[in-house]
Each structure stands twice: as structure tokens, then as C-alpha cells.
């Protein structure tokens, strides 16, 4: 008798860096036998060791692209988690040589959406299906339940829907995964998610800056405040981890570690792409843009230190004296900052959602903004309680022009604007930059005004460039000989 051939895996995963390894273990833990492959053999062995240690999980290591592909049941579905760009193309080329028509490739990296659309076409020419799938939640999310944003072939999604729904984070209204749409929509949605994340992190850092340097709060007090905020409307992953950060001591010296960290922020590119796309689509995203600008400026550490000395020598006092000698009311400041942070966040999310809608219209993706808010409720970095309210706002009105004019959010913006203005004003008086909060406030103030001074800009454009203008009292385009009339 012939020996029975080994059972085939349900799915494969190539690329066993931190995210790939953790996602593979997550899939195996949910009961789906999985084959794994990595060009560096030691990574395969390392993953197999973890699978044994973490419960003898059904994970099979393979050491060549051919053995890897052939170990997966047809139609095959293979997730790749390698660095975006050329490494993705190289990995695809190595695998495709052994794949058959009807098989699927799923790229789980932070890829530029147009690269995904190119690969979809290339895959189709070989009879293969393709998904570009945003994966959010970092190392812990990948292992225990990420937010997943798959876009591309609907058939490819249906082939692995049961696996993705089990592996994704679970919230009260379902798993944090949905079919996003065609083409590169999954990657685009993940990109904007990251742009919103940039804004969120910047706004939280500004809240910290104001509370510490205007309110004089200690790290211990900040930990308590953020823990308290995490029990209310600001409840979110980023607020929760911020509270934890303030509690961690430097193991060598015993004081708080956060104060020892260099104030120079890294980035991987998705925030820049988000701002570039906003500009391309003529969508205002000032909060997200401000957060990107500050990351650039944080990189100028040496220049900033030199500038600080120059301005001190020029007579600049580090902070402006309290207005009329007023002492800062700590309790009021804490509550004002809480309200300013919340209102600013609404504006940041509104900007992200408007960008998604504009791209959806341009590409015909038919994105469901309420459903996107729902799948971000768990697993991902921007997960927050108020995403459920965003979901409901778009359910109430799928054609909502802007999140800030949803009746519930509009009421909150009005209630919180006084506190918001006090925080921005106080920060300005103290010489502390709050670019995110200020950008959000300016966004709100611009959007809510029925008339802006753009009439003067149009007059200037017509004066120097004969660009014409429209009038509010009659239809048509007009041009005026401004210089002649002004000097009559």
C-alpha cells in the first residue's frame, strides 16, 4: 500500500518578520493548518519553535518556494508579508512559478495602492486572483486579532472569508474585517487609517505638552489623567497606551523613561502619501498635514537646539508671563484639554473620511464609510469607542457631507468649542505649539462659516491674471479692469 500523503494546509504565509510570524500563529491558533515560508531558513525554524511552544499549533514549515506552494490545498491562498515595493514583486515571482490558475495572492503589507492595481493586472494575465490587504494592530494585533482591510478580487476574498473573520479582532457587531472594494482600495483605506493615526498621535502629544508645560503636571499625574480619560468618550487604544507609557521607569536610573526619549519622530511613509492624496483630490486635511509637518520638524533636532540658543540670546523668554498674573487652574485646564482633544479628533477623522469618499468617487470603489468605521473599532491602532458613533452617523446619513455636521457631533463641537479655544489661546500665549489642535480648530471655523474672505482672493487673481470671478447677485463669469477703475 502507498503511504498516505500528508494533509495539505488550508492557507500559506510567506514572510516571517514580526508581523508575518504573529499572523501565521494567529491563523494556526484558530484551527487552520498553515504552511509558512521565508527566504531566511532560520526564520522558518524560529516560527516552528514558537508554534510548538504556544500550543503545538498546526503550522508547517517549508524551505523552498516550490515545496511551500505545493503544500497548500487548491485553490491556494497565499499571504505575503514582506517589505513594500521590489521585495513584493520578487516574492510574487518566486511563488507564481509554482501556482495554478484560480490561486490567490494576498499582499498584507503597507503598499502604495497603485502598485497593488498593477499587480492585480499582472496576476489576472496568469489566471491568478489578487488582494491588497491592509493589516492594522501592530505585533499584538497580528497575533491576537487585527483589523483587516482586503481589497481587490471579490472571489479571492470569498475564498478566505471564513479564515479572515476568525482571525480578525472581534467586536460586538462582528469581526473587524469586511470586503473593502475593488482594485487597490484595501491599501488606500489602510493608508488613510495611518494618516488618521498620525493626527491622533500628534493631538495626544499636544495634550501632554500643554498639561505638562502649562499645567505643571507630573508624569504620575498624567498617567492618572489619561487612565481616567480612557473610561469616557476618549476611550481608545492610543489613550490607554499613553497612560501606560507615563508609568514606565527607566530600569537603569529609576526615573520615568518617557523623559529620556529623544524628541525625534520616525515615519514609514503612509502619512506622507495621505497628505499627497488629499492635495491631489483637493480635500482639506490640515490636521493630518500638521502632524506630518511636525514629524519633519522633530527631525531637525540639532537645528532646533541651535535655534533655541539663538532666540534666548536675542532676549526671548521661554514662556510668556501669565496674563494679568493669573494662575493656571489645573482642574479646569485638564477638563479643557480633554474637550479640545476630543473636538480636534472629530475634525481629524472627518478629514480622513472625506478623503476616502473622494477617492471612492474617483475610482468607483463604492466604499461604505460606516462599515470602515466599524472594522476600525477593534484590533487597529486607532480603535476607539467613538468609532461606533461615526459608524452610526454614516448609517443615519450615508451621504453625510462632513462628520462635523452630523447632528450629534455638531452639538458636541458647539459644546466643546469654548474649552477648545481656551486651550489653543493659552498654548499660544505660553509659546507652546499646538499645530494639530489649531489646525482642527481652523478647519472647524472655516467649514462652519457661510462666507469666507475668498472673494478678495478671487479679486486679486482677476486683477493680476484675468482669471475672472463669479458674483453672488447674478450668474456668469466676470472680469474687471481693476487698475483702471481704481485710479479713475
Amino acid at each position: 500500500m502507498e503511504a498516505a500523503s500528508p494533509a495539505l494546509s488550508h492557507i500559506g504565509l510567506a514572510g516571517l518578520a514580526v508581523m508575518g510570524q504573529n499572523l501565521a500563529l494567529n491563523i494556526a491558533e484558530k484551527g487552520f493548518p498553515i504552511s509558512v515560508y521565508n527566504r531566511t531558513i532560520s526564520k522558518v525554524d524560529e516560527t516552528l519553535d514558537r508554534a510548538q511552544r504556544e500550543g503545538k499549533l498546526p503550522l508547517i514549515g517549508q524551505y523552498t518556494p516550490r515545496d511551500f506552494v505545493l503544500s497548500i490545498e487548491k485553490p491556494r491562498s497565499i499571504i505575503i508579508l514582506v517589505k513594500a515595493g521590489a521585495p513584493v514583486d520578487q516574492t510574487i515571482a518566486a511563488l507564481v512559478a509554482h501556482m495554478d490558475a484560480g490561486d490567490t495572492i494576498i499582499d498584507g503589507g503597507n503598499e502604495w495602492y497603485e502598485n497593488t492595481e498593477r499587480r492585480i493586472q499582472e496576476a489576472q494575465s496568469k489566471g491568478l486572483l489578487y488582494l491588497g490587504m491592509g493589516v492594522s494592530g501592530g505585533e499584538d494585533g497580528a497575533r491576537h486579532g487585527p483589523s483587516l482591510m482586503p481589497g481587490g478580487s471579490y472571489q479571492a476574498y470569498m475564498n478566505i472569508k471564513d479564515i479572515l473573520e476568525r482571525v480578525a479582532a472581534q467586536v460586538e457587531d462582528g469581526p473587524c474585517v469586511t470586503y473593502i472594494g475593488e482594485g487597490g482600495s484595501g491599501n488606500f483605506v489602510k493608508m488613510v487609517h495611518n494618516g488618521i493615526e498620525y493626527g491622533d498621535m500628534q493631538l495626544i502629544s499636544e495634550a501632554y505638552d500643554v498639561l505638562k508645560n502649562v499645567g505643571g503636571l507630573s508624569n504620575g499625574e498624567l498617567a492618572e489623567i489619561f487612565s481616567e480619560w480612557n473610561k469616557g468618550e476618549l476611550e481608545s487604544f492610543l489613550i490607554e497606551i499613553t497612560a501606560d507609557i507615563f508609568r514606565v521607569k527607566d530600569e537603569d536610573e529609576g526615573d520615568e523613561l518617557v523623559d529620556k526619549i529623544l524628541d525625534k519622530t520616525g515615519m514609514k511613509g503612509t502619512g506622507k502619501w495621505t497628505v499627497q492624496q488629499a492635495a491631489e483630490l483637493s480635500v482639506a486635511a490640515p490636521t493630518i498635514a500638521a502632524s506630518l509637518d511636525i514629524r519633519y520638524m522633530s527631525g531637525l533636532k540639532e537645528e532646533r537646539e541651535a535655534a533655541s540658543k539663538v532666540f534666548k540670546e536675542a532676549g526671548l523668554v521661554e514662556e510668556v508671563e501669565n496674563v494679568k498674573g493669573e494662575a493656571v487652574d489645573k482642574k479646569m485646564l485638564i477638563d479643557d484639554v480633554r474637550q479640545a482633544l476630543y473636538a480636534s479628533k472629530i475634525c481629524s477623522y472627518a478629514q480622513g473620511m472625506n478623503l476616502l469618499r473622494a477617492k471612492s468617487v474617483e475610482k468607483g470603489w463604492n466604499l461604505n464609510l460606516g462599515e470602515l468605521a466599524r472594522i476600525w473599532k477593534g484590533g487597529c491602532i486607532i480603535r476607539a469607542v467613538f468609532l461606533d458613533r461615526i459608524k452610526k452617523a454614516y448609517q443615519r446619513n450615508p451621504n453625510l457631507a462632513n462628520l462635523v455636521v452630523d447632528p450629534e457631533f455638531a452639538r458636541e463641537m458647539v459644546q466643546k468649542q469654548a474649552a477648545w479655544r481656551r486651550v489653543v489661546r493659552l498654548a499660544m500665549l505660553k509659546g507652546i505649539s499646538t499645530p494639530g489642535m489649531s489646525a482642527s480648530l481652523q478647519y472647524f471655523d472655516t467649514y462652519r462659516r457661510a462666507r469666507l474672505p475668498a472673494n478678495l482672493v478671487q479679486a486679486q487673481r482677476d486683477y493680476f491674471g484675468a482669471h475672472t470671478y463669479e458674483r453672488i447677485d447674478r450668474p456668469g463669469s466676470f472680469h474687471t479692469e481693476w487698475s483702471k477703475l481704481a485710479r479713475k
Side-chain angles (χ1 to χ4, degrees), residues 208 245 248 250 256-265 301:
Y208 153 64
I245 287 166
V248 174
D250 180 358
E256 284 94 354
L257 180 58
V258 69
D259 295 329
K260 301 284 181 67
I261 297 173
L262 183 69
D263 53 321
K264 194 172 174 179
T265 312
K301 176 65 174 174

Side-chain angles (χ1 to χ4, degrees), residues 14-273:
L16 296 171
V18 173
M19 289 292 285
Q21 195 173 106
N22 280 289
L23 189 61
L25 292 165
N26 182 356
I27 291 168
E29 188 176 61
K30 298 302 188 294
F32 301 103
I34 181 170
S35 293
V36 298
Y37 166 73
N38 197 84
R39 274 197 318 173
T40 308
I41 285 172
S42 61
K43 285 286 185 187
V44 179
D45 292 334
E46 185 185 307
T47 309
L48 288 171
D49 287 345
R50 278 191 66 189
Q52 283 299 303
R53 288 199 315 273
E54 296 181 23
K56 296 185 178 177
L57 303 175
L59 187 145
I60 303 97
Q62 300 292 346
Y63 297 93
T64 70
R66 182 180 182 276
D67 290 347
F68 170 63
V69 172
L70 297 182
S71 71
I72 304 161
E73 66 184 14
K74 294 182 181 180
R76 303 179 183 95
S77 294
I78 297 175
I79 298 170
I80 55 176
L81 268 164
V82 298
K83 192 175 178 184
V88 176
D89 291 309
Q90 291 157 9
T91 304
I92 290 171
L95 300 177
V96 162
H98 312 288
M99 295 175 76
D100 298 310
D103 290 352
T104 295
I105 296 167
I106 304 117
D107 176 15
N110 274 335
E111 187 56 271
W112 174 237
Y113 83 99
E114 288 181 342
N115 284 342
T116 295
E117 300 199 327
R118 166 178 59 80
R119 291 178 188 133
I120 287 171
Q121 297 301 318
E122 291 168 356
Q124 282 176 346
S125 71
K126 298 179 175 72
L128 300 171
L129 308 179
Y130 198 94
L131 285 174
M133 182 172 73
V135 179
S136 180
E139 180 181 347
D140 189 65
R143 180 65 184 85
H144 300 292
S147 176
L148 300 170
M149 296 155 248
S153 163
Y154 183 68
Q155 181 58 53
Y157 173 71
M158 293 307 293
N159 289 348
I160 58 165
K161 180 172 181 275
D162 58 335
I163 297 177
L164 297 184
E165 288 186 345
R166 288 283 304 282
V167 165
Q170 307 293 316
V171 291
E172 79 285 349
D173 49 8
C176 292
V177 59
T178 191
Y179 175 68
I180 301 295
E182 295 180 356
S185 59
N187 294 113
F188 194 90
V189 167
K190 173 59 163 57
M191 177 198 79
V192 175
H193 162 285
N194 286 23
I196 293 170
E197 180 186 310
Y198 272 52
D200 252 359
M201 294 170 76
Q202 176 60 30
L203 292 168
I204 291 169
S205 75
E206 290 173 20
Y208 153 64
D209 199 8
V210 171
L211 290 174
K212 179 181 180 181
N213 291 306
V214 178
L217 275 70
S218 68
N219 288 328
E221 289 173 310
L222 287 165
E224 291 305 313
I225 288 161
F226 276 83
S227 292
E228 192 61 35
W229 285 357
N230 199 45
K231 296 172 187 170
E233 62 194 2
L234 284 171
E235 184 186 335
S236 64
F237 173 69
L238 286 169
I239 294 290
E240 177 188 337
I241 68 169
T242 301
D244 287 347
I245 287 166
F246 289 127
R247 292 192 174 98
V248 174
K249 304 285 187 187
D250 180 358
E251 290 181 350
D252 295 327
E253 298 183 27
D255 47 359
E256 284 94 354
L257 180 58
V258 69
D259 295 329
K260 301 284 181 67
I261 297 173
L262 183 69
D263 53 321
K264 194 172 174 179
T265 312
M267 67 195 90
K268 295 243 178 116
T270 45
K272 180 173 79 173
W273 290 345

